[in-house]
Amino acid sequence: MIIREVEFIGSFEHEHQCPRTNLPEYAFIGRSNVGKSSLINSITGRKDIARISSTPGKTQTINYYLINNEWYLVDLPGYGYAKISKTARKKWAAMIEKYLLTRKPLKCVFTLIDSRIPLQKKDEEFLDSLGDNQIPFVIAYTKLDKVRKTMRNTNVSAIQEALLESWEYLPQQFLTSAVTNEGREDILNFIEEINNN
Ligand code: GTP
Ligand code: MG
């Protein structure tokens, strides 16, 4: 797919404020700092359409990007950020839950997992909740440019094994890097296929 147009549509705090269109959308979620916003920039080929920060917790709203006037990428705030208050965490959980459970045009959730570290409890819990609610998802391993070539398989296999303790089989997975743009084409092809169905 060729990205001809990328338009930032808005940041919303509630599902009911999100665009009232039927265009297919793809949400990016994962632990705080995992690289959601960076991957969106990589996929769209726009360096800084989504705000990036080395401080976790940068994205706090549901952010919509309209691609080619045909579909949306949705940047969601990260989970598992330790330094926020209980109230803020509850607010996050309520916002995300409402969005994931009720948003009709949501075609697939891209759950991002850091390829440099073992699977985290927060990731497991989040994936479990997607499964419990039958929300379609895929996995994108992030920051692969930071993993030595010889360690790629080791790292990814370890995460897969941990996942297979609770899942019978795994969904589609993408190896990505926002630095080298690895995975970009695969993700765009995957999205194109769903859009065309
Ligand atoms: P929140 O919005 O705070 O939840 O974070 P996020 O998941 O959107 O992460 P973000 O894209 O802001 O990136 C967090 C940090 O990781 C930044 O310092 C990025 O530059 C860095 N980063 C993200 N993706 C990659 C990648 O593929 N490779 C490398 N080397 N660094 C990355
Ligand atoms: Mg972000």
Side-chain angles (χ1 to χ4, degrees), residues 32-38 53 57-59 143 145-146 178-179:
S32 200
N33 227 35
V34 70
K36 301 172 289 294
S37 302
S38 301
S53 166
K58 180 73 188 170
T59 309
K143 307 191 184 182
D145 60 281
K146 288 228 172 160
V179 170

Side-chain angles (χ1 to χ4, degrees), residues 9 32 38 41 65 76 84 115 128 150 154 159 161 164 178:
I9 298 296
S32 200
S38 301
N41 289 336
Y65 303 91
L76 296 174
I84 58 168
S115 67
D128 283 349
T150 50
T154 314
I159 298 171
E161 263 170 47
L164 285 167

Side-chain angles (χ1 to χ4, degrees), residues 106-124:
L106 176 62
K107 295 290 178 191
C108 185
V109 175
F110 282 76
T111 305
L112 274 54
I113 293 180
D114 193 329
S115 67
R116 302 171 303 173
I117 55 171
L119 185 68
Q120 305 287 296
K121 187 131 187 75
K122 288 277 171 220
D123 294 323
E124 265 177 66

Side-chain angles (χ1 to χ4, degrees), residues 27-166:
F28 283 58
I29 197 161
R31 279 187 317 118
S32 200
N33 227 35
V34 70
K36 301 172 289 294
S37 302
S38 301
L39 188 56
I40 286 181
N41 289 336
S42 164
I43 291 171
T44 56
R46 305 293 192 272
K47 259 211 184 85
D48 43 24
I49 191 125
R51 292 255 203 88
I52 294 176
S53 166
S54 52
T55 321
K58 180 73 188 170
T59 309
Q60 305 221 338
T61 45
I62 304 175
N63 301 296
Y64 272 77
Y65 303 91
L66 177 62
I67 315 295
N68 293 349
N69 267 312
E70 284 169 351
W71 55 282
Y72 294 109
L73 278 176
V74 181
D75 190 10
L76 296 174
Y79 52 76
Y81 178 43
K83 285 188 191 148
I84 58 168
S85 66
K86 241 187 184 164
T87 325
R89 201 165 311 156
K90 270 196 182 153
K91 197 177 148 201
W92 177 90
M95 168 169 86
I96 297 303
E97 192 178 349
K98 184 86 199 288
Y99 169 81
L100 291 174
L101 291 178
T102 59
R103 186 71 184 163
K104 290 250 159 56
L106 176 62
K107 295 290 178 191
C108 185
V109 175
F110 282 76
T111 305
L112 274 54
I113 293 180
D114 193 329
S115 67
R116 302 171 303 173
I117 55 171
L119 185 68
Q120 305 287 296
K121 187 131 187 75
K122 288 277 171 220
D123 294 323
E124 265 177 66
E125 288 170 358
F126 181 73
L127 290 171
D128 283 349
S129 72
L130 289 178
D132 290 344
N133 293 297
Q134 300 186 334
I135 297 164
F137 71 93
V138 293
I139 291 173
Y141 299 103
T142 62
K143 307 191 184 182
L144 268 142
D145 60 281
K146 288 228 172 160
V147 178
R148 269 185 291 139
K149 281 265 168 357
T150 50
M151 289 302 289
R152 275 178 169 241
N153 266 337
T154 314
N155 284 24
V156 172
S157 303
I159 298 171
Q160 287 172 333
E161 263 170 47
L163 287 170
L164 285 167
E165 281 173 24
S166 44

